[in-house]
Amino acid sequence: SETHDGKITKDMRGEATFKVKGASGLVEYIKPRAMTVELPKGTVFPTTHLVALIASSMSGENFLGKYLFDGASFDDPNMVSAVIQKRPTNDEFVAPVAKSLKQTEKWNARLAYFPIKSGKATPDFEMDVHFRQDGIVEGLVQDYNSYTIVARLEKIEVLPSGRC
């Protein structure tokens, strides 16, 4: 569900399933209307996408292309193309709270989201992601052409080992 000023503006419900990891899948929506969407072979969810992005970054690759399903719209899934670069040590986009964390490798990635249903040659939107080897995303910038959303990590609570 999406809310604005405490009121629900969009409510989508459904379930995405894969019979076998790496195989094609199926999304069955029940709200706001019943419908079924097929997911191509190799489609991943957001956490798996971030893990793949980190693995590609660590191995020195500078590109990753994956089908991504996040359930945010009926336009899912998207082909997400990511161009990766190592973050310079003097990177200006540093979340202040990240200074209190252990030093680790950091990268920037420019992600372009292409809805596979439309077959358009241009992305619906692009996003810059500033992420760390430990999976913490320090910030992101979503560019929708007519407006941009900037988010920075403001607070983090590190849980003791064994509680996850």
Side-chain angles (χ1 to χ4, degrees):
S1 295
E2 285 183 21
T3 60
H4 184 74
D5 291 332
K7 295 180 182 159
I8 295 176
T9 57
K10 182 165 89 171
D11 191 14
M12 297 175 65
R13 306 272 169 115
E15 184 174 302
T17 57
F18 298 96
K19 290 184 179 175
V20 178
K21 185 178 179 179
S24 59
L26 198 63
V27 181
E28 294 183 63
Y29 288 100
I30 58 172
K31 201 173 187 182
R33 64 182 185 276
M35 70 180 279
T36 303
V37 175
E38 290 186 35
L39 300 175
K41 181 179 179 179
T43 298
V44 297
F45 295 129
T47 301
T48 304
H49 188 259
L50 179 59
V51 169
L53 198 56
I54 292 168
S56 293
S57 301
M58 289 178 63
S59 67
E61 296 174 34
N62 60 6
F63 179 80
L64 176 70
K66 290 265 185 207
Y67 291 113
L68 174 65
F69 177 79
D70 64 11
S73 77
F74 289 127
D75 291 333
D76 274 345
N78 289 283
M79 167 48 76
V80 178
S81 298
V83 176
I84 306 162
Q85 69 177 27
K86 190 167 177 109
R87 280 176 55 193
T89 53
N90 63 346
D91 186 6
E92 292 179 18
F93 197 104
V94 175
V97 71
K99 293 176 184 173
S100 65
L101 298 172
K102 182 177 127 185
Q103 291 299 311
T104 185
E105 294 290 320
K106 298 178 182 185
W107 298 273
N108 294 328
R110 178 75 171 184
L111 283 62
Y113 285 71
F114 298 87
I116 61 173
K117 286 182 188 176
S118 72
K120 292 188 333 185
T122 56
D124 268 6
F125 72 94
E126 296 183 57
M127 179 187 321
D128 291 317
V129 180
H130 308 275
F131 62 101
R132 301 162 41 101
Q133 183 177 345
D134 55 16
I136 296 171
V137 175
E138 291 186 13
L140 56 91
V141 179
Q142 288 181 284
D143 182 359
Y144 292 96
N145 291 325
S146 59
Y147 65 96
T148 301
I149 298 171
V150 178
R152 281 193 170 89
L153 179 65
E154 292 285 326
K155 181 180 176 185
I156 190 164
E157 182 180 344
V158 180
L159 300 175
S161 296
R163 287 189 51 196
C164 294

